[in-house]
């Protein structure tokens, strides 16, 4: 993704398999992450459009990202069979389901059905449920 994919309050992306266009709202943790990336890039010798760059400012290739992921996983003492790069997709689906629901997770992953999305969602700590009506904010 490039800097020019961020327009206004949206990160605009095109999904790989379906080519569907998405506008991801830049808020909360994503907004913080983009601000952190921009601050990191500001002092680098090479100015590049891609969001992910190396220590000099050159764009990260897929192989560079893979090596960094593998190194971080090894440093954390996580076995390769326990957590793989592809598990980040399931994590994104699970987090989105938890925060805004399965429909948003379905849209994020580009699935045609909720059933497909449900296969990606992981409820290792149990599905979050609410009992009774939501609390109303004081007026």
């Amino acid at each position: 993704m490039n800097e020019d994919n961020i327009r206004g309050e949206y990160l605009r992306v095109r999904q790989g398999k379906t080519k569907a266009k998405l506008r991801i709202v830049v808020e909360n943790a994503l907004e913080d992450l983009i601000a952190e990336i921009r601050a990191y890039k500001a002092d680098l010798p090479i100015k590049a459009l891609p969001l992910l760059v190396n220590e000099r400012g050159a764009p990260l290739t897929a192989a560079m990202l893979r090596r960094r992921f593998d190194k971080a996983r090894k440093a954390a003492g996580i076995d390769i069979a326990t957590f793989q790069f592809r598990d980040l997709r399931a994590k994104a689906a699970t987090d989105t389901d938890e925060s805004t629901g399965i429909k948003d997770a379905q849209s994020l992953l580009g699935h045609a059905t909720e059933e497909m999305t449900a296969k990606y969602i992981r409820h290792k700590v149990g599905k979050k449920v609410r009992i009774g009506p939501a609390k109303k904010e004081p007026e």
Side-chain angles (χ1 to χ4, degrees), residues 13-26:
V13 297
R14 186 179 298 266
Q15 294 177 326
K17 192 189 264 185
T18 64
K19 305 297 183 208
K21 294 178 181 179
L22 284 183
R23 291 179 303 146
I24 301 170
V25 179
V26 176

Side-chain angles (χ1 to χ4, degrees), residues 69-78:
F69 179 84
D70 291 345
K71 185 177 176 182
R73 181 180 52 209
K74 186 175 181 178
I78 298 171

Side-chain angles (χ1 to χ4, degrees), residues 43-63:
D43 295 328
L44 296 176
I46 300 172
K47 303 300 181 206
L49 278 178
L51 289 174
L52 299 180
V53 297
N54 66 15
E55 297 76 13
R56 293 183 327 275
L60 274 184
T61 65

